[in-house]
């Protein structure tokens, strides 16, 4: 069955319209004797007008005469469900004030629309495609692209339970109730539910990869709408209040997802996208500051470790000359501690007769706090520079002796293991466990 044919005198006719779309009467060709000169626009085979009722539908369509050859138009129009859906789509478009024609082909044959709806001012054309048969994703994307190139908008309608291409082209899933009620759109249209932290300047969902307050990037999501009448959906397409849109939330979604939305939901998503960009920028800035702070701390730690290593080298190098110095001065061999200890400003204590006698290379910055306890002791330094620093912190008149020794070159300090640095996208993926998928 098909809707459109060619009359030998009137030209193109539309069997669904009472005036056949050309100002003529159906009855004049219905069961006419001799048969009306009706032929198929595709295969030129003879057609005849058929009248049938199906529930609430009063159906008029064209059927190929017996022994018709293979015909794309006839194959495209097979099936009562396909036939009824095209009737509904055309009816709803016309009710919205648009014109609607069946089986309209491009001049170059690159596309053929089941129903081509055209706005009253002619500025918009929308192909309403009843896709009841199985079709590959590659083919339906190619057909959609051909419409786009021609400047024709398109929406695909299907009643199939499994629709693998619902995400990749502008489309909806429909259901025709068994009780004869209005056809319902059940999938393909969505609404955006916004969600924000109470204090947008301090997001409760901190990623944990930076310290400090971050602005809220929004936690809204897209949700499917409840089933609603097909008539309302087609009217919204014609009024341009519902548009196909590639969803951008969640922002880490790699697969494209087409859904039909209204302007209000686009604005809500756009608000969240802007907030997410701002949050990511703030996270990058804060992370950069914290990385610099970490680098400064690491450098200070390296410098501190290098200073400790140099101190240990000086203390080790001075043990022998200090022992000789004290022996000649005190007349007895001293005992030298094994390591620097806090009670001697991290210097190595030297004992004579079991009593403290001197300190090898104490830390100048610690001497002032122990000045009274250290005042009776000799402080030994390895360089004039170190002697000056110790003298500045020691008790007035305290002895500070310099014993020149050849110090070994500074030993390299093992580099501290740097922490892993993550980009904002990596941090977000890790936070939601997407890096493990």
């Amino acid at each position: 069955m098909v809707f459109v044919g060619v009359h030998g005198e009137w030209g193109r006719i539309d069997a669904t319209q009472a005036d056949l779309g050309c100002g003529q009467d159906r009855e004049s060709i219905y069961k006419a004797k001799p048969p009306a000169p009706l032929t198929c626009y595709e295969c030129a085979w003879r057609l005849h007008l058929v009248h049938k009722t199906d529930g609430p539908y009063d159906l008029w369509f064209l059927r190929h005469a017996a022994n018709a050859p293979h015909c794309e138009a006839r194959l495209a129009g097979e099936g009562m469900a396909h036939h009824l859906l095209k009737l509904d789509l055309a009816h709803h478009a016309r009710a919205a004030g648009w014109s609607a024609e069946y089986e309209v082909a491009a001049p170059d044959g690159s596309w053929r629309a089941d129903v081509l709806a055209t706005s009253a001012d002619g500025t918009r054309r929308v192909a309403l495609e009843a896709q009841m048969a199985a079709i590959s994703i590659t083919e339906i994307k190619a057909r959609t692209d051909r419409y786009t190139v021609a400047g024709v908008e398109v929406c695909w309608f299907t009643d199939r339970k499994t629709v693998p291409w619902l995400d990749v082209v502008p489309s909806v899933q429909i259901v025709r109730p068994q009780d004869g009620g209005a056809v319902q759109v059940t999938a393909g249209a969505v609404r955006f539910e916004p969600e924000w932290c109470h204090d947008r300047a301090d997001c409760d969902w901190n990623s944990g990869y930076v310290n400090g307050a971050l602005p809220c990037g929004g936690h809204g999501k897209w949700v499917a709408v409840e089933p609603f009448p097909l008539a309302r959906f087609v009217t919204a397409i014609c009024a341009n209040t519902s548009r196909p849109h590639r969803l951008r939330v969640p922002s880490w979604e790699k697969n494209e997802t087409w859904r039909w939305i209204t302007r209000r939901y686009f604005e809500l998503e756009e608000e969240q996208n802007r907030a997410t960009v701002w949050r990511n920028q703030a996270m990058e800035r804060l992370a950069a500051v914290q990385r610099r702070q970490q680098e400064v701390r690491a450098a200070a730690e390296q410098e501190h470790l290098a200073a400790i290593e140099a101190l240990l080298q000086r203390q080790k190098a001075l043990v022998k000359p200090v022992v000789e110095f004290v022996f000649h001065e005190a007349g007895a061999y001293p005992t030298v501690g094994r390591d620097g200890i806090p009670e001697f400003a991290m210097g190595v204590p030297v004992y004579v007769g079991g009593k403290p006698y001197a300190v090898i290379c104490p830390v100048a910055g610690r001497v002032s706090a122990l000045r009274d306890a250290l005042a009776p002791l000799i402080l030994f330094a390895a360089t004039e520079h170190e002697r000056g620093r110790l003298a500045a912190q020691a008790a007035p008149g305290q002895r500070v002796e310099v014993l020149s020794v050849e110090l070994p070159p500074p030993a390299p300090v093992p580099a501290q293991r740097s922490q892993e640095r993550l980009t904002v996208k990596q941090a977000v993926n890790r936070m939601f466990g997407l890096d493990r998928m």
Side-chain angles (χ1 to χ4, degrees):
M1 62 180 70
V2 294
F3 293 142
V4 177
V6 179
H7 190 280
E9 297 178 7
W10 306 334
R12 180 185 174 93
I13 66 168
D14 181 348
T16 66
Q17 299 190 57
D19 66 351
L20 299 176
C22 61
Q24 301 296 327
D25 185 8
R26 281 196 191 114
E27 296 298 331
S28 64
I29 62 172
Y30 180 55
K31 296 183 178 180
K33 300 293 184 179
L38 300 177
T39 56
C40 175
Y41 62 84
E42 184 72 31
C43 65
W45 198 257
R46 182 172 295 278
L47 301 173
H48 56 270
L49 184 62
V50 178
H51 183 214
K52 184 178 180 180
T53 58
D54 187 289
Y57 292 90
D58 184 37
L59 305 178
W60 290 88
F61 55 90
L62 299 168
R63 177 174 289 161
H64 285 69
N67 302 317
H70 175 85
C71 176
E72 292 296 331
R74 183 158 58 95
L75 292 176
E78 284 183 337
M80 183 59 70
H82 186 268
H83 186 84
L84 295 179
L85 180 55
K86 290 200 293 186
L87 282 175
D88 286 330
L89 294 174
H91 172 74
H92 297 324
R94 291 166 184 162
W98 285 37
S99 63
E101 296 181 274
Y102 298 93
E103 304 300 332
V104 179
D108 62 359
S110 59
W111 52 265
R112 182 186 299 277
D114 282 340
V115 176
L116 184 66
T118 306
S119 62
D121 59 6
T123 58
R124 291 180 61 207
R125 292 184 299 166
V126 181
L128 305 175
E129 289 283 357
Q131 188 60 45
M132 319 302 276
I135 186 172
S136 70
I137 291 177
T138 300
E139 183 179 354
I140 200 168
K141 288 184 71 174
R143 291 175 63 181
T144 300
D145 291 342
R146 288 196 289 272
Y147 279 122
T148 301
V149 170
V152 178
E153 301 169 45
V154 62
C155 182
W156 300 86
F157 299 81
T158 185
D159 64 353
R160 298 181 69 85
K161 292 182 178 180
T162 302
V163 192
W165 41 264
L166 192 68
D167 287 351
V168 299
V169 293
S171 54
V172 293
Q173 189 178 39
I174 59 99
V175 167
R176 186 179 299 278
Q178 295 182 351
D179 61 4
V183 177
Q184 301 288 302
V185 173
T186 56
V190 294
R191 57 188 173 84
F192 191 78
E193 290 186 348
E195 181 180 348
W196 299 91
C197 293
H198 177 71
D199 182 0
R200 290 200 184 187
D202 187 1
C203 183
D204 295 334
W205 295 14
N206 195 321
S207 68
Y209 292 94
V210 293
N211 297 319
L214 289 173
C216 181
H219 314 297
K221 60 184 180 296
W222 290 102
V223 296
V225 300
E226 295 296 322
F228 63 98
L230 175 65
R232 196 174 89 193
F233 179 66
V234 175
T235 300
I237 291 179
C238 295
N240 210 23
T241 57
S242 184
R243 301 285 295 168
H245 173 63
R246 275 195 181 98
L247 306 186
R248 296 168 293 170
V249 171
S251 57
W252 53 83
E253 178 63 59
K254 295 181 180 179
N255 299 324
E256 60 181 21
T257 300
W258 280 99
R259 289 291 184 267
W260 288 87
I261 68 170
T262 66
R263 180 71 186 182
R264 174 58 179 158
Y265 296 137
F266 172 84
E267 292 170 349
L268 290 172
E269 184 196 48
E270 180 65 17
E271 180 184 11
Q272 177 160 316
N273 278 333
R274 288 195 301 267
T276 299
V277 170
W278 172 247
R279 172 188 169 83
N280 290 343
Q281 291 174 344
M283 186 185 296
E284 290 284 11
R285 290 193 297 269
L286 187 56
V289 170
Q290 292 177 2
R291 282 196 300 268
R292 289 194 295 270
Q293 293 173 341
Q294 182 180 353
E295 290 166 358
V296 169
R297 289 193 297 269
E301 179 67 17
Q302 288 291 99
E303 184 178 350
H304 179 63
L305 292 175
I308 292 175
E309 183 63 24
L311 175 65
L312 295 176
Q313 293 291 341
R314 294 197 307 275
Q315 291 173 342
K316 182 178 179 181
L318 283 183
V319 168
K320 184 177 179 180
V322 165
V323 168
E324 294 175 352
F325 183 98
V326 173
F327 173 74
H328 289 296
E329 183 174 280
Y333 276 104
T335 301
V336 180
R338 296 184 60 183
D339 300 300
I341 55 179
E343 293 83 353
F344 294 92
M346 300 309 296
V348 177
V350 180
Y351 301 92
V352 175
K355 295 181 180 180
Y357 186 86
V359 181
I360 302 174
C361 296
V363 176
R366 292 175 173 250
V367 169
S368 60
L370 301 169
R371 184 176 296 156
D372 293 340
L374 299 178
L377 309 179
I378 303 172
L379 306 182
F380 286 100
T383 65
E384 285 294 335
H385 176 70
E386 186 178 16
R387 186 201 67 78
R389 293 181 60 205
L390 291 173
Q393 301 297 326
Q398 185 172 4
R399 290 178 64 187
V400 181
E401 300 287 348
V402 177
L403 299 181
S404 297
V405 293
E406 184 175 350
L407 298 174
V413 178
Q416 298 295 303
R417 183 180 179 182
S418 60
Q419 295 184 356
E420 179 185 7
R421 296 179 181 178
L422 301 175
T423 65
V424 169
K425 184 175 182 179
Q426 290 171 330
V428 172
N429 286 345
R430 180 168 294 184
M431 177 174 62
F432 286 95
L434 298 177
D435 59 337
R436 299 189 293 274
M437 295 178 65

